Amino acid sequence: MNILILGSGGREHALAWAVKQNPKCDRLVVAPGNAGMAEIAECASLDIMDGGAVCAFCEAQSIDFVIIGPEAPLAAGVADRLRDAGILCFGPSAAAAQLEASKAFTKEICDASGAPTAAYARFTNAAEARAYVEAQGAPIVIKADGLAAGKGVIVAMSVAEATAAVDDMLGGAFGEAGAEVVIEEFMEGEEASFFVLSDGKNVLPIGTAQDHKRAYDGDEGPNTGGMGAYSPAPVMTDAVTARALAEIVQPTVDEMAKRGMPYQGVLYAGFMIKDGAPRLVEYNVRFGDPECQVLMMRLGAQALDVMLACARGELDRAQVNWADDHALTVVMAAKGYPGSYEKGTAIGGLEGLPEDSKNMVFHAGTARKDGTLIATGGRVLNVTARGETLAEARDRAYAMVDQIDWPEGFVRRDIGWRALP
Ligand code: AMP
Ligand code: GLY
């Protein structure tokens, strides 16, 4: 079959890498793609936010299956347009994508389905929000309702910090996304991510992971999109996973179906886990980046089979064959990220690195210029390895990092610390 993947990050390179290994994939097209994806797929220039343009492209190119990587085209209804046109597609409708696009909507779904999450209140009025913060005290969490590129959450350690965040958000710092704020109880515990596929009715778990959001070693520095990840997450024991499915994920999927907005695609649940009890922090309606890189490393070619079963509504007949393995990815980012950084710097040393089922460098912000690989974004490479133990995966990933010649880049040296002795 002919397959189109929308997106250009490390997440989409990992998806492309897994899909390409499956013999069902005859032709692989990515839009817009990056230098790494260009080595295994055709890159098409296409406005991935424009559902009409994506449909027209699929019809002209005889595309049989579309995998949508990022949240923005999902929230914009690209999956709806594809399904209306009769094109098989992996990714939720715009209505279902509200689980990521509106924090207030997600809270409403939790209330209706009884899923454990932080206590909260919603505000559009700054004076009322400030009064609530003062009554509750700190620590407290302030969230812009809408999509804010990962920057719309302030975990405030003092009332002053919380009221400043309220003023900022309701004052327009995030535009429409901040027109309403959700103020939440601060939850203590250990965070982990859980990924399931849902076809609207059935749910298939496809792995757990932990991310490293801060820029520097020891979880210091500013928040980023993620500086590394590993899978599985030891805190997601079988017992915690079973509770998460029964108390949070399946009730959400059931509630969405009841509301006439069945959830089809990957549902990424972020949990806070304390004393074996998971509570929902947030949902995302796409794979995590860089969590997808470690999930794809572990799933390999079967990723396409389960995504197809998901899109066709046949997840009750699908399964994942797990190896008893671990995967870890280290993000190489441009010095200065997540603030300002230089673009166009040259990257060397990738040619000698292994590329196989245990070692892969997934590209994010890269391009080729006159044959040279250059950095074009903040997060640039995802150096990923799989092993029988997490320590083995970590050692191999860092051995590859050390062979990459990119003086303008940096990595965290402690990816996996929580799960390693
Ligand atoms: P979110 O975008 O909702 O995942 O929030 C970003 C990060 O803020 C999460 O990964 C948590 O580390 C933290 N966070 C969000 N909500 C809470 C909460 N209610 N209690 C504690 N930490 C939170
Ligand atoms: N790595 C976090 C995310 O993709 O949201």
Side-chain angles (χ1 to χ4, degrees):
M1 69 192 325
N2 298 335
I3 299 173
L4 170 66
I5 299 178
L6 302 184
S8 62
R11 168 178 55 207
E12 288 80 18
H13 187 190
L15 288 167
W17 173 83
V19 162
K20 178 80 179 182
Q21 291 170 45
N22 191 305
K24 289 195 184 89
C25 176
D26 297 311
R27 179 173 167 224
L28 182 61
V29 185
V30 296
N34 60 36
M37 292 161 89
E39 287 172 20
I40 58 169
E42 301 164 43
C43 294
S45 64
L46 179 61
D47 179 0
I48 67 168
M49 294 296 289
D50 180 344
V54 174
C55 288
F57 180 87
C58 290
E59 272 149 21
Q61 298 289 323
S62 306
I63 298 293
D64 305 297
F65 184 43
V66 182
I67 299 169
I68 303 179
E71 64 277 18
L74 294 166
V78 173
D80 303 77
R81 292 296 298 272
L82 284 163
R83 286 197 190 98
D84 288 347
I87 299 163
L88 195 64
C89 153
F90 179 82
S93 65
Q98 289 180 88
L99 283 176
E100 175 164 359
S102 168
K103 309 242 181 225
F105 176 83
T106 297
K107 286 298 200 184
E108 217 179 280
I109 295 291
C110 287
D111 286 347
S113 62
T117 183
Y120 74 103
R122 296 162 61 167
F123 298 94
T124 51
N125 177 288
E128 287 169 20
R130 277 197 305 268
Y132 180 80
V133 165
E134 274 154 21
Q136 296 292 317
I140 192 161
V141 183
I142 318 292
K143 299 185 175 184
D145 174 60
L147 292 177
K151 299 187 180 95
V153 175
I154 301 291
V155 179
M157 287 302 157
S158 68
V159 168
E161 196 187 341
T163 50
V166 163
D167 288 341
D168 220 33
M169 286 180 196
L170 290 175
F174 297 105
E176 253 322 284
E180 177 169 357
V181 296
V182 173
I183 303 185
E184 276 187 14
E185 163 204 359
F186 174 80
M187 294 188 284
E188 278 174 43
E190 183 170 343
E191 283 191 83
S193 305
F194 183 40
F195 295 85
V196 304
L197 301 189
S198 163
D199 60 8
K201 187 172 160 211
N202 308 290
V203 162
L204 180 72
I206 55 162
T208 62
Q210 271 173 319
D211 187 10
H212 300 63
K213 286 202 161 69
R214 301 298 191 106
Y216 313 130
D217 285 18
D219 289 336
E220 301 280 343
N223 264 322
T224 70
M227 293 299 293
Y230 55 91
S231 172
V235 67
M236 289 294 294
T237 58
D238 289 347
V240 172
T241 303
R243 280 188 73 165
L245 268 175
E247 295 172 15
I248 304 176
V249 175
Q250 188 70 55
T252 297
V253 168
D254 294 345
E255 180 64 27
M256 295 296 284
K258 203 170 107 190
R259 294 185 179 214
M261 38 179 97
Y263 190 91
Q264 289 170 282
V266 60
L267 185 60
Y268 157 4
F271 298 134
M272 193 68 81
I273 298 142
K274 196 172 169 225
D275 303 328
R279 290 210 282 166
L280 185 74
V281 177
E282 63 161 351
Y283 279 127
N284 293 301
V285 300
R286 48 167 176 88
F287 283 103
D289 188 347
E291 292 91 329
C292 187
Q293 289 79 314
V294 286
L295 294 180
M296 290 305 126
M297 196 84 205
R298 296 187 64 212
L299 287 169
Q302 60 183 330
L304 176 59
D305 297 320
V306 292
M307 288 191 282
L308 276 171
C310 176
R312 289 176 173 144
E314 297 171 354
L315 271 184
D316 52 333
R317 280 175 266 160
Q319 62 175 41
V320 172
N321 295 312
W322 290 110
D324 192 11
D325 60 356
H326 299 257
L328 181 142
T329 189
V330 179
V331 171
M332 296 187 85
K335 280 179 188 161
Y337 171 81
S340 60
Y341 49 82
E342 202 181 335
K343 284 189 186 174
T345 56
I347 303 167
L350 258 66
E351 299 72 24
L353 296 180
E355 283 195 356
D356 52 40
S357 64
K358 288 194 154 178
N359 305 277
M360 261 310 289
V361 178
F362 296 117
H363 291 224
T366 66
R368 290 242 171 236
K369 196 177 167 197
D370 308 324
T372 303
L373 187 69
I374 58 163
T376 58
R379 292 191 294 170
V380 172
L381 297 172
N382 303 257
V383 185
T384 312
R386 191 160 68 94
E388 279 174 31
T389 63
L390 186 60
E392 184 199 332
R394 185 233 3 230
D395 292 347
R396 221 144 12 74
Y398 279 111
M400 288 194 281
V401 165
D402 290 335
Q403 288 186 58
I404 295 173
D405 179 20
W406 183 32
E408 294 83 7
F410 78 100
V411 295
R412 272 182 68 159
R413 284 276 158 194
D414 62 350
I415 300 304
W417 68 268
R418 218 181 262 284
L420 286 162

